[in-house]
Amino acid sequence: MSYKVAVLAGDGIGPEVMAEARKVLVEVEQRFGLDITYSEYDVGGAAIDNYGCPLPEATLRGCEQADAILFGSVGGPKWQHLPPDSQPERGALLPLRGHFELFCNLRPARLHDGLESLSPLRADISSQGFDVVCVRELTGGIYFGKPKGRQGEGETEEAFDTMRYSRREIRRIAKIAFETARLRKQKVTSIDKANVLACSVLWREVVEEVAKDYPDVTLEHMYIDNATMQLLRRPFDFDVVLCSNLFGDILSDEIAMLTGSMGLLSSASINGSGFGLYEPAGGSAPDIAGKGIANPVAQILSAALMLRYSLKQEDAACAIERAVGKALAEGFLTGELLPAAQRDQAKTTKQMGDFIANAI
Amino acid sequence: MSYKVAVLAGDGIGPEVMAEARKVLVEVEQRFGLDITYSEYDVGGAAIDNYGCPLPEATLRGCEQADAILFGSVGGPKWQHLPPDSQPERGALLPLRGHFELFCNLRPARLHDGLESLSPLRADISSQGFDVVCVRELTGGIYFGKPKGRQGEGETEEAFDTMRYSRREIRRIAKIAFETARLRKQKVTSIDKANVLACSVLWREVVEEVAKDYPDVTLEHMYIDNATMQLLRRPFDFDVVLCSNLFGDILSDEIAMLTGSMGLLSSASINGSGFGLYEPAGGSAPDIAGKGIANPVAQILSAALMLRYSLKQEDAACAIERAVGKALAEGFLTGELLPAAQRDQAKTTKQMGDFIANAI
Ligand SMILES: CC(C)[C@H](C(=O)O)[C@@H](O)C(=O)O
Ligand SMILES: CC(C)[C@H](C(=O)O)[C@@H](O)C(=O)O
């Protein structure tokens, strides 16, 4: 069982947390008899500095040779003055998603036992816990719809973007949401704005059609504006949240923040052939980069998702998740997860990686 | 000083809470020597039942004769099976906004002293309070952009919506945000998705231009996804939140829910000539309609906004706001604002209206 992984560590804390994920993968390879070859490529700001663009041809070609992309994080103040298209985040992530047709973005988010108090929610709400997966369509909608641009002059000059969805695009992501729900709490909440958007009316129609094949799964529709509210009041009532590209961008971040522990959240962006890009949900955190205090867990869990979805090594994925669970259960935590009074017990990036690697 | 107001009470709790707002307005008229003539018209579900459409011609003509529209709320399960265009909310609100070019939507939201614990946020966050106004563009963007529709057949059938903004549209709403900030904490947070949307890039450009005329006001830009997160962590850092139509729909509801007291929130939708539509932020709450327990404060505060923005009666507006403040400060509250253990002290819709009317 041999695999090729393209490693795109990127900027900020990316390289530090990636080093820990690699450490954990070494243990996993040994224990499960896997043979993974890693090739490192520049991406984001690092690639802008070295090649003048956030996603160099060599990086793209390298990813094409691989079975999966393990992605760190990109961006930072140094490149913020650049025009949007050339910035690290947009200039690297969107072309990668488009090029590999990574239409399915999975963002799991839950409150871990003992970490409920990190949630910005009131104790009586967070104490009930929650465990949600956001299933976000990632290669359609207003992100990629054409036409997009500007026309006219002076005060009548206008900009325009097109939100566009086909039945096929909606159906394939909806199916994944229902399949996911089947393995969880059998509930799909489909987010739309069907009282305003033509795309949402079609979205609702197709999701209803797909639902017929999953009589064991409960489907509810919710307007995006209402969803931002209900998630605050009763996050525990959600299981799988199915979203279009833009609504998923917005809601998955709200849900991530509700956990209060962004450093624990990973995400998978996959295509129809099982190829995928795996990355932490948090950003490049330039403010703490290089200090050795960043939480590597999200990156390590991204490696677990890679093992599960692209390399089809479920046991190895579970081993990583169990090892992470052990660290959290034993209160082995980086500083941002600890109350101010206990910060002196904070573990470093490296200590976290070592602990989890040992626990494999 | 005589004025004409079109009263569109609508569905659900609309008529009950409107009756209390009218009661308060009678007192205000007397005290400030105003002469307001009210004309009532059907709207929403009530209009569908009586006229077959949610915004009958007679209602629209009546609103045209008036200086302002005092709006209750529309919608309910009875009309939910109708196609989106014919439903009460969409079929009444969107045409009214479009017809009168009500491009500016103001949604104030704050945590009232003593009511912090209603917020779904953690006590250490909510105890710091917050006071935000969402300034939402209401007649442009993806709500009204053309083309909007469907084409093709079978699995390639697709739906499309167009997000569209002109410099002029962005400039006029941005100006209002800066004017509003000037009278408050001198800070504007402009929400966009400039890393993806052409409309947002233009939005940012024009907002920057407008900002030059307000050197006393601090401007920050924030991506919509990040904004949903920061509002949870530090709502107290926001003052005026400037949004396009869709982003404002989403964020203003998140902000409303953060107060935990939707029954206190009103909103104003105004055009360039001072004409406006004033409505509570909450919905028609069909589950509690007719029980006499709905909170009339949002409707009463909508009347205050009407006095301020359309009738230019600032003193009268303040008198209402003070009277409401008195009720809240004295713990004179409807049931949904009270802890379960104190529900027996809950005031009825009518008692709230009477108290506030008396306090004028
Ligand atoms: C960087 C940006 C283009 C991207 C998005 O909007 O999808 C990011 O916010 C995300 O959610 O991965
Ligand atoms: C009813 C609906 C069309 C409307 C909107 O989306 O604007 C509502 O959600 C609002 O915010 O007033």
Side-chain angles (χ1 to χ4, degrees), chain B residues 57-69:
Chain B
E57 201 56 32
T59 301
L60 200 57
R61 291 294 94 81
C63 293
E64 284 174 350
Q65 308 300 316
D67 299 303
I69 303 169

Side-chain angles (χ1 to χ4, degrees), chain A residues 84 87 89-90 94 117-123 125 142-143 148-151 154-169 171 193-202 205 209 223-226 228-230 232-233 246-247 249-250 253-254 256-258 262, chain B residues 84 87 89-90 94 117-123 125 142-143 148-151 154-169 171 193-202 205 209 223-226 228-230 232-233 246-247 249-250 253-254 256-258 262:
Chain A
Q87 281 180 18
E89 298 89 342
R90 195 207 136 91
L94 295 194
S117 66
L118 292 170
S119 168
L121 291 177
R122 224 165 57 199
I125 303 176
I142 202 163
Y143 274 62
K148 186 190 266 296
R150 283 209 199 178
Q151 66 192 16
E155 281 306 279
T156 60
E157 184 187 6
E158 56 176 29
F160 45 89
D161 297 273
T162 305
M163 186 180 277
R164 195 180 286 281
Y165 268 114
S166 70
R167 283 187 177 271
R168 181 184 148 269
E169 285 175 301
R171 194 177 308 278
K193 185 75 191 173
N195 50 356
V196 171
L197 303 177
C199 284
S200 287
V201 173
L202 183 63
E205 264 178 51
E209 284 169 25
Y223 293 141
I224 174 74
D225 46 334
N226 190 29
T228 62
M229 299 200 287
Q230 300 311 320
L232 298 177
R233 257 180 18 136
L246 181 63
F247 294 163
D249 178 51
I250 297 170
D253 269 358
E254 180 180 356
M257 182 54 89
L258 289 180
M262 203 81 88
Chain B
Q87 281 179 20
E89 299 87 342
R90 194 205 138 92
L94 295 193
S117 66
L118 293 171
S119 169
L121 292 176
R122 225 166 55 200
I125 303 175
I142 202 164
Y143 274 62
K148 183 191 270 293
R150 284 208 198 178
Q151 66 191 16
E155 282 306 280
T156 60
E157 185 187 5
E158 56 176 28
F160 46 89
D161 297 272
T162 305
M163 186 180 275
R164 195 181 286 282
Y165 269 114
S166 70
R167 284 189 177 269
R168 179 182 150 270
E169 284 176 301
R171 194 176 309 278
K193 186 77 192 173
N195 49 356
V196 172
L197 303 177
C199 284
S200 287
V201 174
L202 183 63
E205 264 179 52
E209 284 171 24
Y223 293 141
I224 174 75
D225 46 335
N226 190 30
T228 63
M229 299 201 285
Q230 300 312 320
L232 298 177
R233 257 177 21 133
L246 181 62
F247 294 163
D249 178 50
I250 297 169
D253 268 358
E254 181 181 356
M257 182 53 88
L258 289 179
M262 203 81 88

